[in-house]
Amino acid sequence: MFTGIIESVGQVESVQPLGGDIRLRIRTALDLSDVHLGDSIATNGICLTVIDWGADWYSADVSRESLNRTTLAQWKVGQLVNVEKAMLPTTRFGGHIVSGHVDDVGEISVVRHDARSLYFEVTAPIALAKYLAEKGSITVDGVSLTINHLRGHILSLNLIPHTAERTNIQTWKVGTKVNLEVDILARYIERLLLGDRAAETSPESKLSMDFLAQNGFLK
């Protein structure tokens, strides 16, 4: 688990094709002195397992599932990425619960200054819209952020200068693809509301406004 509070910005040092997937090497100023084989490090919001590391770098194997569900397949050498080690029981919990399991890819659609803050709009896939809530949490490239406003599947974000300076957000521009992870609680609430119907094999969610009304959740 992670908190979405970025600890360092790393840089992609190598992307090595390997047996149908890839091996990734990231150089970072993150303190890796307490890292062990098999530890998790969120890299642009993707939970990666450390298979090798040194004083200022770590390597991880990336599965085809991760390549298909994230922006990772488009990463190039030199690209900046947000880095966070897995949280400890004693960690200050400054963000929200982040699993590092990316749901889908969104796209930056608006970028502008708002006083000293940066204002962004992100177009999320329509399938994720039901998991988004105004003033709720979302993880964008591993950063825990608050959805300020919501129009359908387009969400707006305001980022203070500190967040922009300590992450790769300064590289975002219109058209940039970003990894999105919805609040983990929304996923489980959906399954709970489905009740016994959750066991059905249809890949499509059966949670709808009609379903909620029929089961007493709406008046």
Side-chain angles (χ1 to χ4, degrees), residues 24 31 38 58 63 65 78 91 129-130 143 156 164 188 191 217-218:
L24 191 69
D31 179 10
Y58 63 92
S63 70
E65 170 70 6
T91 301
K130 61 187 174 182
V143 186
S156 67
Y188 286 110
R191 298 293 290 179
F217 294 103
L218 296 176

Side-chain angles (χ1 to χ4, degrees), residues 2 8 11 30-31 81 85 111 158 205:
F2 308 90
S8 180
Q11 189 171 45
L30 187 67
D31 179 10
V81 290
K85 290 185 289 188
V111 179
N158 272 81
S205 170

Side-chain angles (χ1 to χ4, degrees), residues 9 11 15 18 24 27 70 80 83 104 114 122-123 125 129 146 150 156 173 179:
V9 174
Q11 189 171 45
V15 181
L18 200 67
L24 191 69
R27 186 166 296 279
T70 72
L80 299 180
V83 178
D104 214 323
D114 185 7
V122 182
T123 300
T146 299
L150 193 58
S156 67
K173 57 186 178 182
N179 294 318

Side-chain angles (χ1 to χ4, degrees), residues 32 99 172 180:
L32 301 177
S99 68
W172 292 358
L180 301 178

